[in-house]
């Protein structure tokens, strides 16, 4: 079965002023479902998207989320893919 069939949903996060984030699975449940996840990142200045296109709505970037706490960093300074 795929994620939709068994009710797995995406996690979300918002960065703080230092760029740190913590994923939230549900409003009162931090984290993410264990497994491979597609990564989408958005940073807007009005209508203009500032994040690299490789993290946009058609992103093919993925990261594996494990059962233990982990840190995943993303290079958002690169112009590659914009």
């Amino acid at each position: 079965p795929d994620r939709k069939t068994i009710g797995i949903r995406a996690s979300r996060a918002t960065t703080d002023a230092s760029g740190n984030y913590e994923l939230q699975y549900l409003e009162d449940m931090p984290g993410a479902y264990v497994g491979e996840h597609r990564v989408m990142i958005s940073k807007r200045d009005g209508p203009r998207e500032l994040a690299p296109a490789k993290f946009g709505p058609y992103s093919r970037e993925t990261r594996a989320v494990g059962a233990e706490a982990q840190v995943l960093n993303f290079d958002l300074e690169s112009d590659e893919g914009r």
Side-chain angles (χ1 to χ4, degrees), residues 39-57:
V39 176
M40 293 189 318
I41 299 172
S42 179
K43 179 175 178 159
R44 303 192 73 77
D45 180 14
R48 186 169 168 244
E49 178 59 56
L50 302 176
K54 71 179 185 175
F55 292 115

Side-chain angles (χ1 to χ4, degrees), residues 1-60:
D2 65 15
R3 290 172 179 246
K4 289 181 182 177
T5 304
I6 58 176
I8 298 171
R9 60 179 302 247
S11 292
R12 303 184 75 136
T14 301
T15 57
D16 63 19
S18 299
N20 299 307
Y21 68 93
E22 184 175 334
L23 289 174
Q24 288 293 127
Y25 185 70
L26 298 171
E27 186 175 325
D28 60 346
M29 184 184 299
Y33 192 81
V34 173
E36 195 75 15
H37 291 264
R38 184 168 59 118
V39 176
M40 293 189 318
I41 299 172
S42 179
K43 179 175 178 159
R44 303 192 73 77
D45 180 14
R48 186 169 168 244
E49 178 59 56
L50 302 176
K54 71 179 185 175
F55 292 115
Y58 303 106
S59 173
R60 292 187 178 193

